[in-house]
Amino acid sequence: MSQRNRQARVAMTWAGIGVAAAAGAALPFALGMDGMGGGFAIAFVSGFFALASFIAASVFAARARVLGRLLAEEGLLAHWTYPEAERKQHAEKELTEEKRASWTLLAVIAGFSLLIGIGFLIADPDAGRYVLLVLVGVVAVLAGVAFFAPRARASRRRRAAPEAFVSREAAYVLGMLHTWRLLGARVEEAAFAPGRKPVLRVTYSAPVLYGRFLLARQSYTVSIPVPPGEEERALEAARAIAGEGL
């Protein structure tokens, strides 16, 4: 089944936004606007959005190249297709796990935010209440993300072609791209998990910036259903991804 490279479309969208923002940054000077009368502010904000958009475009362009190689079956370790019932079951299982992980992470963030907010409130009641309100607002936004994001991904899995592409650098499973060789990402573990519903499980991590100065690694795990009779191929793929074989 032929699939479109959605990552390329996202990259083009961000590039278009970046071009528009860059034009917005130049517009005040082209129109002869007074810098102190708002021209500098418009140029600064537009320039910031242009820079952020071009960075996003470059990230998605890199992901698009990875996805392009997968769909072209370059260096492929496995290409599996699934019956509709198995696709639905996998999508529901992933939804349950992602909802649990999202709410757990939200609870941790909310707890830290509450402690910080109360600390500011005790130290400086006048300013602290505003800090607490901002933190409550941030937690509320994150709660919305925790609620909607897993459901959006589950909806994509239900609509995507029921197949998986696996290589040493990435996997494209039910419309979801996972890359473990880009932007400092690395494989932590790759293993074949046998059982009634065998899966190829890859755990990888990527650098994440928390705030301005704290750089940490965030772990992700993708579980790829293994069709009957493909257990040996899944085991070989796990070894190859982990750098042990092929």
Side-chain angles (χ1 to χ4, degrees):
M1 181 182 296
S2 177
Q3 295 198 47
R4 293 179 297 174
N5 192 327
R6 298 181 181 276
Q7 299 292 314
R9 186 175 63 183
V10 175
M12 291 297 294
T13 299
W14 276 114
I17 293 173
V19 170
L27 190 61
F29 304 103
L31 296 179
M33 288 182 61
D34 179 19
M36 301 304 294
F40 290 151
I42 294 174
F44 176 80
V45 173
S46 298
F48 175 81
F49 276 108
L51 177 62
S53 298
F54 286 134
I55 291 174
S58 65
V59 169
F60 280 101
R63 288 170 59 84
R65 289 192 292 271
V66 172
L67 180 54
R69 289 191 289 271
L70 284 171
L71 296 180
E73 302 193 0
E74 296 179 12
L76 215 58
L77 299 174
H79 177 200
W80 296 318
T81 57
Y82 310 105
E84 183 60 31
E86 185 170 349
R87 186 256 288 276
K88 182 178 179 181
Q89 185 180 45
H90 181 71
E92 293 303 321
K93 179 182 177 182
E94 289 290 294
L95 174 60
T96 300
E97 293 179 355
E98 288 180 357
K99 285 195 299 184
R100 181 171 59 248
S102 295
W103 288 113
T104 299
L105 180 60
L106 178 66
V108 173
I109 294 174
F112 277 111
S113 298
L114 183 61
L115 289 175
I116 293 171
I118 292 175
F120 272 97
L121 193 61
I122 294 173
D124 187 347
D126 290 335
R129 60 184 177 182
Y130 295 109
V131 173
L132 183 59
L133 285 174
V134 169
L135 291 174
V136 169
V138 170
V139 171
V141 171
L142 292 178
V145 173
F147 180 83
F148 289 108
R151 288 164 174 80
R153 288 192 290 267
S155 177
R156 183 182 301 177
R157 291 188 182 101
R158 295 187 190 104
R159 298 194 311 268
E163 55 186 334
F165 299 80
V166 185
S167 74
R168 283 184 174 87
E169 62 180 340
Y172 189 55
V173 187
L174 300 181
M176 302 296 296
L177 177 64
H178 303 267
T179 62
W180 41 79
R181 303 294 185 197
L182 285 179
L183 303 174
R186 70 187 181 207
V187 175
E188 301 295 342
E189 182 183 15
F192 169 62
R196 191 171 62 88
K197 294 290 183 180
V199 296
L200 169 60
R201 185 172 291 119
V202 181
T203 298
Y204 61 100
S205 65
V208 176
L209 184 64
Y210 295 98
R212 293 184 178 181
F213 308 108
L214 180 58
L215 184 65
R217 299 195 70 86
Q218 176 74 45
S219 293
Y220 308 88
T221 298
V222 53
S223 296
I224 308 167
V226 177
E230 291 291 312
E231 292 83 2
E232 186 61 32
R233 181 183 294 273
L235 183 59
E236 292 176 356
R239 290 171 177 167
I241 293 170
E244 299 175 0
L246 293 184

